[in-house]
PDB file of all heavy atoms in Angstrom:
ATOM      1  N   THR T 152     116.988 -23.577-192.133  1.00  0.00           N
ATOM      2  CA  THR T 152     115.633 -23.054-191.938  1.00  0.00           C
ATOM      3  C   THR T 152     115.572 -22.085-190.762  1.00  0.00           C
ATOM      4  O   THR T 152     114.489 -21.719-190.314  1.00  0.00           O
ATOM      5  CB  THR T 152     114.629 -24.198-191.687  1.00  0.00           C
ATOM      6  OG1 THR T 152     115.059 -24.945-190.531  1.00  0.00           O
ATOM      7  CG2 THR T 152     114.536 -25.129-192.880  1.00  0.00           C
ATOM      8  N   GLY T 153     116.730 -21.681-190.284  1.00  0.00           N
ATOM      9  CA  GLY T 153     116.780 -20.772-189.142  1.00  0.00           C
ATOM     10  C   GLY T 153     116.843 -19.320-189.561  1.00  0.00           C
ATOM     11  O   GLY T 153     116.536 -18.957-190.696  1.00  0.00           O
ATOM     12  N   LEU T 154     117.283 -18.484-188.637  1.00  0.00           N
ATOM     13  CA  LEU T 154     117.301 -17.045-188.881  1.00  0.00           C
ATOM     14  C   LEU T 154     118.691 -16.504-189.183  1.00  0.00           C
ATOM     15  O   LEU T 154     118.837 -15.316-189.474  1.00  0.00           O
ATOM     16  CB  LEU T 154     116.734 -16.313-187.650  1.00  0.00           C
ATOM     17  CG  LEU T 154     115.267 -16.601-187.308  1.00  0.00           C
ATOM     18  CD1 LEU T 154     114.911 -15.965-185.976  1.00  0.00           C
ATOM     19  CD2 LEU T 154     114.349 -16.080-188.401  1.00  0.00           C
ATOM     20  N   LYS T 155     119.711 -17.364-189.132  1.00  0.00           N
ATOM     21  CA  LYS T 155     121.077 -16.842-189.271  1.00  0.00           C
ATOM     22  C   LYS T 155     121.432 -16.467-190.711  1.00  0.00           C
ATOM     23  O   LYS T 155     122.343 -15.672-190.937  1.00  0.00           O
ATOM     24  CB  LYS T 155     122.091 -17.848-188.730  1.00  0.00           C
ATOM     25  CG  LYS T 155     122.182 -19.149-189.510  1.00  0.00           C
ATOM     26  CD  LYS T 155     123.236 -20.063-188.893  1.00  0.00           C
ATOM     27  CE  LYS T 155     123.355 -21.383-189.664  1.00  0.00           C
ATOM     28  NZ  LYS T 155     124.390 -22.262-189.086  1.00  0.00           N
ATOM     29  N   VAL T 156     120.757 -17.047-191.686  1.00  0.00           N
ATOM     30  CA  VAL T 156     121.026 -16.708-193.088  1.00  0.00           C
ATOM     31  C   VAL T 156     120.189 -15.485-193.447  1.00  0.00           C
ATOM     32  O   VAL T 156     118.970 -15.501-193.357  1.00  0.00           O
ATOM     33  CB  VAL T 156     120.695 -17.883-194.021  1.00  0.00           C
ATOM     34  CG1 VAL T 156     120.920 -17.487-195.475  1.00  0.00           C
ATOM     35  CG2 VAL T 156     121.546 -19.097-193.665  1.00  0.00           C
ATOM     36  N   GLU T 157     120.859 -14.425-193.879  1.00  0.00           N
ATOM     37  CA  GLU T 157     120.177 -13.145-194.112  1.00  0.00           C
ATOM     38  C   GLU T 157     120.193 -12.730-195.582  1.00  0.00           C
ATOM     39  O   GLU T 157     120.168 -11.541-195.899  1.00  0.00           O
ATOM     40  CB  GLU T 157     120.828 -12.061-193.254  1.00  0.00           C
ATOM     41  CG  GLU T 157     120.758 -12.348-191.765  1.00  0.00           C
ATOM     42  CD  GLU T 157     121.413 -11.251-190.942  1.00  0.00           C
ATOM     43  OE1 GLU T 157     120.761 -10.201-190.746  1.00  0.00           O
ATOM     44  OE2 GLU T 157     122.570 -11.433-190.526  1.00  0.00           O
ATOM     45  N   LEU T 158     120.209 -13.717-196.469  1.00  0.00           N
ATOM     46  CA  LEU T 158     120.299 -13.430-197.895  1.00  0.00           C
ATOM     47  C   LEU T 158     119.106 -12.648-198.434  1.00  0.00           C
ATOM     48  O   LEU T 158     119.196 -11.999-199.474  1.00  0.00           O
ATOM     49  CB  LEU T 158     120.450 -14.737-198.680  1.00  0.00           C
ATOM     50  CG  LEU T 158     121.774 -15.478-198.532  1.00  0.00           C
ATOM     51  CD1 LEU T 158     121.699 -16.851-199.208  1.00  0.00           C
ATOM     52  CD2 LEU T 158     122.924 -14.661-199.127  1.00  0.00           C
ATOM     53  N   PHE T 159     117.967 -12.727-197.750  1.00  0.00           N
ATOM     54  CA  PHE T 159     116.773 -12.034-198.224  1.00  0.00           C
ATOM     55  C   PHE T 159     116.393 -10.860-197.336  1.00  0.00           C
ATOM     56  O   PHE T 159     115.336 -10.271-197.505  1.00  0.00           O
ATOM     57  CB  PHE T 159     115.609 -13.026-198.346  1.00  0.00           C
ATOM     58  CG  PHE T 159     115.863 -14.071-199.390  1.00  0.00           C
ATOM     59  CD1 PHE T 159     116.389 -15.304-199.041  1.00  0.00           C
ATOM     60  CD2 PHE T 159     115.632 -13.805-200.726  1.00  0.00           C
ATOM     61  CE1 PHE T 159     116.658 -16.264-200.007  1.00  0.00           C
ATOM     62  CE2 PHE T 159     115.900 -14.753-201.697  1.00  0.00           C
ATOM     63  CZ  PHE T 159     116.422 -15.986-201.341  1.00  0.00           C
ATOM     64  N   SER T 160     117.273 -10.525-196.406  1.00  0.00           N
ATOM     65  CA  SER T 160     117.055  -9.383-195.531  1.00  0.00           C
ATOM     66  C   SER T 160     117.697  -8.138-196.134  1.00  0.00           C
ATOM     67  O   SER T 160     118.431  -8.209-197.111  1.00  0.00           O
ATOM     68  CB  SER T 160     117.659  -9.666-194.149  1.00  0.00           C
ATOM     69  OG  SER T 160     117.104 -10.830-193.573  1.00  0.00           O
ATOM     70  N   ALA T 161     117.415  -7.004-195.528  1.00  0.00           N
ATOM     71  CA  ALA T 161     118.050  -5.751-195.941  1.00  0.00           C
ATOM     72  C   ALA T 161     118.617  -5.086-194.690  1.00  0.00           C
ATOM     73  O   ALA T 161     118.263  -3.965-194.340  1.00  0.00           O
ATOM     74  CB  ALA T 161     117.054  -4.848-196.645  1.00  0.00           C
ATOM     75  N   ASN T 162     119.498  -5.817-194.013  1.00  0.00           N
ATOM     76  CA  ASN T 162     119.977  -5.389-192.705  1.00  0.00           C
ATOM     77  C   ASN T 162     121.271  -4.590-192.732  1.00  0.00           C
ATOM     78  O   ASN T 162     121.515  -3.779-191.844  1.00  0.00           O
ATOM     79  CB  ASN T 162     120.171  -6.612-191.794  1.00  0.00           C
ATOM     80  CG  ASN T 162     118.867  -7.308-191.492  1.00  0.00           C
ATOM     81  OD1 ASN T 162     117.809  -6.674-191.480  1.00  0.00           O
ATOM     82  ND2 ASN T 162     118.905  -8.611-191.263  1.00  0.00           N
ATOM     83  N   ASP T 163     122.129  -4.849-193.729  1.00  0.00           N
ATOM     84  CA  ASP T 163     123.436  -4.198-193.750  1.00  0.00           C
ATOM     85  C   ASP T 163     123.840  -3.860-195.177  1.00  0.00           C
ATOM     86  O   ASP T 163     124.376  -4.698-195.899  1.00  0.00           O
ATOM     87  CB  ASP T 163     124.484  -5.109-193.106  1.00  0.00           C
ATOM     88  CG  ASP T 163     125.850  -4.449-192.997  1.00  0.00           C
ATOM     89  OD1 ASP T 163     125.998  -3.288-193.430  1.00  0.00           O
ATOM     90  OD2 ASP T 163     126.783  -5.098-192.484  1.00  0.00           O
ATOM     91  N   PRO T 164     123.615  -2.617-195.618  1.00  0.00           N
ATOM     92  CA  PRO T 164     123.946  -2.234-196.995  1.00  0.00           C
ATOM     93  C   PRO T 164     125.421  -2.383-197.344  1.00  0.00           C
ATOM     94  O   PRO T 164     125.773  -2.404-198.528  1.00  0.00           O
ATOM     95  CB  PRO T 164     123.524  -0.756-197.051  1.00  0.00           C
ATOM     96  CG  PRO T 164     122.527  -0.594-195.946  1.00  0.00           C
ATOM     97  CD  PRO T 164     122.972  -1.531-194.864  1.00  0.00           C
ATOM     98  N   SER T 165     126.276  -2.522-196.346  1.00  0.00           N
ATOM     99  CA  SER T 165     127.706  -2.647-196.620  1.00  0.00           C
ATOM    100  C   SER T 165     128.119  -4.063-196.970  1.00  0.00           C
ATOM    101  O   SER T 165     129.262  -4.295-197.380  1.00  0.00           O
ATOM    102  CB  SER T 165     128.520  -2.173-195.405  1.00  0.00           C
ATOM    103  OG  SER T 165     128.374  -3.071-194.305  1.00  0.00           O
ATOM    104  N   ASP T 166     127.208  -5.021-196.828  1.00  0.00           N
ATOM    105  CA  ASP T 166     127.542  -6.424-197.109  1.00  0.00           C
ATOM    106  C   ASP T 166     126.368  -7.101-197.803  1.00  0.00           C
ATOM    107  O   ASP T 166     125.315  -7.292-197.188  1.00  0.00           O
ATOM    108  CB  ASP T 166     127.878  -7.164-195.820  1.00  0.00           C
ATOM    109  CG  ASP T 166     128.338  -8.597-196.056  1.00  0.00           C
ATOM    110  OD1 ASP T 166     128.413  -9.014-197.241  1.00  0.00           O
ATOM    111  OD2 ASP T 166     128.613  -9.305-195.076  1.00  0.00           O
ATOM    112  N   VAL T 167     126.549  -7.481-199.065  1.00  0.00           N
ATOM    113  CA  VAL T 167     125.442  -8.071-199.819  1.00  0.00           C
ATOM    114  C   VAL T 167     124.935  -9.376-199.187  1.00  0.00           C
ATOM    115  O   VAL T 167     123.778  -9.759-199.411  1.00  0.00           O
ATOM    116  CB  VAL T 167     125.819  -8.323-201.295  1.00  0.00           C
ATOM    117  CG1 VAL T 167     126.066  -7.002-202.010  1.00  0.00           C
ATOM    118  CG2 VAL T 167     127.019  -9.243-201.413  1.00  0.00           C
ATOM    119  N   LEU T 168     125.764 -10.047-198.402  1.00  0.00           N
ATOM    120  CA  LEU T 168     125.304 -11.269-197.723  1.00  0.00           C
ATOM    121  C   LEU T 168     124.161 -10.977-196.755  1.00  0.00           C
ATOM    122  O   LEU T 168     123.412 -11.875-196.396  1.00  0.00           O
ATOM    123  CB  LEU T 168     126.458 -11.937-196.970  1.00  0.00           C
ATOM    124  CG  LEU T 168     127.360 -12.857-197.787  1.00  0.00           C
ATOM    125  CD1 LEU T 168     128.591 -13.252-196.975  1.00  0.00           C
ATOM    126  CD2 LEU T 168     126.601 -14.113-198.223  1.00  0.00           C
ATOM    127  N   GLN T 169     124.054  -9.739-196.348  1.00  0.00           N
ATOM    128  CA  GLN T 169     122.964  -9.333-195.456  1.00  0.00           C
ATOM    129  C   GLN T 169     122.095  -8.259-196.100  1.00  0.00           C
ATOM    130  O   GLN T 169     121.402  -7.518-195.415  1.00  0.00           O
ATOM    131  CB  GLN T 169     123.541  -8.795-194.135  1.00  0.00           C
ATOM    132  CG  GLN T 169     124.389  -9.780-193.359  1.00  0.00           C
ATOM    133  CD  GLN T 169     125.008  -9.142-192.133  1.00  0.00           C
ATOM    134  OE1 GLN T 169     124.299  -8.647-191.249  1.00  0.00           O
ATOM    135  NE2 GLN T 169     126.320  -9.130-192.066  1.00  0.00           N
ATOM    136  N   TYR T 170     122.140  -8.226-197.429  1.00  0.00           N
ATOM    137  CA  TYR T 170     121.405  -7.167-198.122  1.00  0.00           C
ATOM    138  C   TYR T 170     120.862  -7.666-199.458  1.00  0.00           C
ATOM    139  O   TYR T 170     121.294  -7.247-200.526  1.00  0.00           O
ATOM    140  CB  TYR T 170     122.322  -5.955-198.326  1.00  0.00           C
ATOM    141  CG  TYR T 170     121.588  -4.634-198.502  1.00  0.00           C
ATOM    142  CD1 TYR T 170     120.751  -4.135-197.504  1.00  0.00           C
ATOM    143  CD2 TYR T 170     121.740  -3.880-199.657  1.00  0.00           C
ATOM    144  CE1 TYR T 170     120.083  -2.933-197.658  1.00  0.00           C
ATOM    145  CE2 TYR T 170     121.082  -2.670-199.822  1.00  0.00           C
ATOM    146  CZ  TYR T 170     120.252  -2.195-198.815  1.00  0.00           C
ATOM    147  OH  TYR T 170     119.593  -0.999-198.965  1.00  0.00           O
ATOM    148  N   ARG T 171     119.940  -8.631-199.377  1.00  0.00           N
ATOM    149  CA  ARG T 171     119.131  -9.089-200.505  1.00  0.00           C
ATOM    150  C   ARG T 171     119.895  -9.800-201.615  1.00  0.00           C
ATOM    151  O   ARG T 171     119.420  -9.891-202.747  1.00  0.00           O
ATOM    152  CB  ARG T 171     118.333  -7.920-201.099  1.00  0.00           C
ATOM    153  CG  ARG T 171     117.377  -7.278-200.121  1.00  0.00           C
ATOM    154  CD  ARG T 171     116.565  -6.164-200.744  1.00  0.00           C
ATOM    155  NE  ARG T 171     115.407  -6.669-201.464  1.00  0.00           N
ATOM    156  CZ  ARG T 171     115.280  -6.635-202.791  1.00  0.00           C
ATOM    157  NH1 ARG T 171     116.240  -6.150-203.548  1.00  0.00           N
ATOM    158  NH2 ARG T 171     114.193  -7.099-203.365  1.00  0.00           N
ATOM    159  N   ALA T 172     121.076 -10.341-201.301  1.00  0.00           N
ATOM    160  CA  ALA T 172     121.825 -11.071-202.329  1.00  0.00           C
ATOM    161  C   ALA T 172     121.093 -12.324-202.789  1.00  0.00           C
ATOM    162  O   ALA T 172     121.344 -12.824-203.884  1.00  0.00           O
ATOM    163  CB  ALA T 172     123.215 -11.446-201.814  1.00  0.00           C
ATOM    164  N   GLY T 173     120.190 -12.836-201.963  1.00  0.00           N
ATOM    165  CA  GLY T 173     119.456 -14.039-202.337  1.00  0.00           C
ATOM    166  C   GLY T 173     118.673 -13.880-203.625  1.00  0.00           C
ATOM    167  O   GLY T 173     118.537 -14.826-204.407  1.00  0.00           O
ATOM    168  N   TYR T 174     118.168 -12.677-203.874  1.00  0.00           N
ATOM    169  CA  TYR T 174     117.417 -12.425-205.103  1.00  0.00           C
ATOM    170  C   TYR T 174     118.336 -12.493-206.322  1.00  0.00           C
ATOM    171  O   TYR T 174     117.975 -13.049-207.363  1.00  0.00           O
ATOM    172  CB  TYR T 174     116.730 -11.057-205.036  1.00  0.00           C
ATOM    173  CG  TYR T 174     115.698 -10.957-203.952  1.00  0.00           C
ATOM    174  CD1 TYR T 174     116.039 -10.517-202.670  1.00  0.00           C
ATOM    175  CD2 TYR T 174     114.369 -11.316-204.190  1.00  0.00           C
ATOM    176  CE1 TYR T 174     115.085 -10.431-201.660  1.00  0.00           C
ATOM    177  CE2 TYR T 174     113.411 -11.232-203.194  1.00  0.00           C
ATOM    178  CZ  TYR T 174     113.776 -10.794-201.925  1.00  0.00           C
ATOM    179  OH  TYR T 174     112.836 -10.724-200.927  1.00  0.00           O
ATOM    180  N   PHE T 175     119.534 -11.935-206.177  1.00  0.00           N
ATOM    181  CA  PHE T 175     120.529 -12.008-207.247  1.00  0.00           C
ATOM    182  C   PHE T 175     120.932 -13.458-207.509  1.00  0.00           C
ATOM    183  O   PHE T 175     120.979 -13.904-208.663  1.00  0.00           O
ATOM    184  CB  PHE T 175     121.763 -11.193-206.862  1.00  0.00           C
ATOM    185  CG  PHE T 175     122.959 -11.447-207.744  1.00  0.00           C
ATOM    186  CD1 PHE T 175     123.112 -10.774-208.942  1.00  0.00           C
ATOM    187  CD2 PHE T 175     123.932 -12.369-207.368  1.00  0.00           C
ATOM    188  CE1 PHE T 175     124.218 -11.016-209.758  1.00  0.00           C
ATOM    189  CE2 PHE T 175     125.027 -12.618-208.170  1.00  0.00           C
ATOM    190  CZ  PHE T 175     125.171 -11.945-209.366  1.00  0.00           C
ATOM    191  N   ILE T 176     121.211 -14.201-206.451  1.00  0.00           N
ATOM    192  CA  ILE T 176     121.611 -15.607-206.588  1.00  0.00           C
ATOM    193  C   ILE T 176     120.513 -16.397-207.293  1.00  0.00           C
ATOM    194  O   ILE T 176     120.768 -17.161-208.225  1.00  0.00           O
ATOM    195  CB  ILE T 176     121.908 -16.228-205.210  1.00  0.00           C
ATOM    196  CG1 ILE T 176     123.094 -15.514-204.540  1.00  0.00           C
ATOM    197  CG2 ILE T 176     122.199 -17.730-205.329  1.00  0.00           C
ATOM    198  CD1 ILE T 176     123.199 -15.772-203.051  1.00  0.00           C
ATOM    199  N   GLY T 177     119.278 -16.205-206.846  1.00  0.00           N
ATOM    200  CA  GLY T 177     118.163 -16.911-207.467  1.00  0.00           C
ATOM    201  C   GLY T 177     118.024 -16.584-208.935  1.00  0.00           C
ATOM    202  O   GLY T 177     117.807 -17.467-209.769  1.00  0.00           O
ATOM    203  N   LEU T 178     118.150 -15.298-209.278  1.00  0.00           N
ATOM    204  CA  LEU T 178     118.043 -14.886-210.679  1.00  0.00           C
ATOM    205  C   LEU T 178     119.119 -15.543-211.526  1.00  0.00           C
ATOM    206  O   LEU T 178     118.834 -16.077-212.610  1.00  0.00           O
ATOM    207  CB  LEU T 178     118.154 -13.362-210.784  1.00  0.00           C
ATOM    208  CG  LEU T 178     118.174 -12.778-212.200  1.00  0.00           C
ATOM    209  CD1 LEU T 178     116.900 -13.127-212.956  1.00  0.00           C
ATOM    210  CD2 LEU T 178     118.380 -11.264-212.145  1.00  0.00           C
ATOM    211  N   ARG T 179     120.357 -15.544-211.052  1.00  0.00           N
ATOM    212  CA  ARG T 179     121.443 -16.132-211.828  1.00  0.00           C
ATOM    213  C   ARG T 179     121.263 -17.648-211.970  1.00  0.00           C
ATOM    214  O   ARG T 179     121.541 -18.214-213.036  1.00  0.00           O
ATOM    215  CB  ARG T 179     122.786 -15.818-211.176  1.00  0.00           C
ATOM    216  CG  ARG T 179     123.214 -14.364-211.324  1.00  0.00           C
ATOM    217  CD  ARG T 179     123.545 -14.045-212.780  1.00  0.00           C
ATOM    218  NE  ARG T 179     123.880 -12.628-212.960  1.00  0.00           N
ATOM    219  CZ  ARG T 179     123.017 -11.707-213.381  1.00  0.00           C
ATOM    220  NH1 ARG T 179     121.762 -12.048-213.679  1.00  0.00           N
ATOM    221  NH2 ARG T 179     123.400 -10.449-213.527  1.00  0.00           N
TER     222      ARG T 179
END
Side-chain angles (χ1 to χ4, degrees):
T152 58
L154 297 172
K155 66 179 180 179
V156 177
E157 300 180 79
L158 290 172
F159 295 95
S160 302
N162 295 331
D163 184 359
S165 69
D166 184 1
V167 294
L168 276 170
Q169 300 175 60
Y170 203 60
R171 299 182 83 249
Y174 296 90
F175 167 84
I176 297 163
L178 175 60
R179 288 292 176 263

